[in-house]
Amino acid sequence: MALSLHFHPLSSFCHKALIALNELDVEVERCFLNLGDPAQRAEFLARWPTGKMPLLVDGDKVVPETSVIIEYLARRHARPDQQLVPTDGDAALEVRLMDRLFDLYVMQPMQAIVGDRLRAEEDRDPIAVTKARDTLSMAYGMLDERLADRDWAAGEHFSMADCAAAPSLFYATTLVPLGPSHPRLAAYFSRLMQRPSVVRTLDEARPFFKFYPYREALPTEYRPQDV
């Protein structure tokens, strides 16, 4: 198959792309990427020097970055009625804005906290972790306000922004739980967790959750049995 996605099933950014693939119903070869393997790592870096995943390969074309991957798939490989970014200009800007908000202010601080946990104790940075937790708290409040009159992140329809929101919140809430001051965000998160594309992605990742550093805080249905 000429179209392939190189990913790791525990990665939140990979989940974002996988949810989009499930929504768009696009068939791709799903290539498990183990950057700990020297040969796989060298081959991957030859394709994309940043080493960031996921990475979409379409024949000779390499497509990096999750938001670009999602728009590329929607334009080149999905049916016209399966777009995750609307054709209306203003509506598309709102989707891209919400996509950025989840990536920058939920996904990235979440990854900073998890990454710090993986370091040796003497190399940890408690100041950076506190700042990341504060960013998550700020983002929860901002997002709760923006969700006041909408079912999905950018309006009435599931979009690229929701593909970003699901893995962002899934992992972030294991670090900074949603509180009573975020009722709209909590209700939205509940809707995300029932979306078939999200359920499939999390089910496929289930065997790998035992490696998540905060696995004891995962939702009960996804928590490894030995925790």
Side-chain angles (χ1 to χ4, degrees), residues 25-145:
D25 197 26
V26 174
E27 286 294 324
V28 303
E29 181 183 3
R30 301 187 181 203
C31 302
F32 177 90
L33 182 60
N34 178 13
L35 292 178
D37 180 275
Q40 283 194 41
R41 184 175 183 84
E43 182 181 357
F44 187 71
L45 290 176
R47 281 199 174 108
W48 187 238
T50 70
K52 299 291 186 180
M53 56 179 165
L55 189 71
L56 183 72
V57 178
D58 189 1
D60 294 330
K61 188 174 183 61
V62 172
V63 185
E65 299 298 328
T66 52
S67 298
V68 178
I69 288 171
I70 291 169
E71 293 211 45
Y72 179 88
L73 287 168
R75 290 184 182 186
R76 300 291 184 90
H77 295 281
R79 297 196 311 265
D81 62 335
Q82 291 179 304
Q83 301 305 303
L84 291 172
V85 178
T87 55
D88 176 79
D90 288 343
L93 285 177
E94 183 64 17
V95 167
R96 293 186 179 104
L97 171 61
M98 294 300 291
D99 174 70
R100 292 291 78 213
L101 293 182
F102 279 108
D103 276 1
L104 295 174
Y105 301 109
V106 183
M107 193 97 77
Q108 288 190 1
M110 173 274 292
Q111 290 187 333
I113 297 168
V114 173
D116 190 80
R117 179 76 170 261
L118 293 171
R119 296 190 184 106
E121 191 167 353
E122 62 271 17
D123 295 328
R124 291 178 182 171
D125 187 347
I127 295 176
V129 168
T130 297
K131 182 178 179 181
R133 290 182 181 276
D134 288 345
T135 298
L136 285 177
S137 296
M138 176 278 295
Y140 289 175
M142 173 179 61
L143 293 165
D144 193 81
E145 289 184 11

Side-chain angles (χ1 to χ4, degrees), residues 12-13 15-17 19-20 66-67 70 95 97-107 110 136 140 143 147 151-154 158-173 178 185 188-193 195 198 202:
S12 54
F13 275 109
H15 283 193
K16 176 181 171 181
I19 291 166
T66 52
S67 298
I70 291 169
V95 167
L97 171 61
M98 294 300 291
D99 174 70
R100 292 291 78 213
L101 293 182
F102 279 108
D103 276 1
L104 295 174
Y105 301 109
V106 183
M107 193 97 77
M110 173 274 292
L136 285 177
Y140 289 175
L143 293 165
L147 287 164
D151 290 331
W152 298 108
F158 192 96
S159 71
M160 178 172 68
D162 302 292
C163 297
S168 298
L169 292 170
F170 179 77
Y171 284 118
T173 54
L178 295 172
L185 185 58
Y188 167 65
F189 181 48
S190 180
R191 288 193 294 276
L192 283 173
M193 292 298 100
R195 186 80 176 184
V198 176
L202 293 176

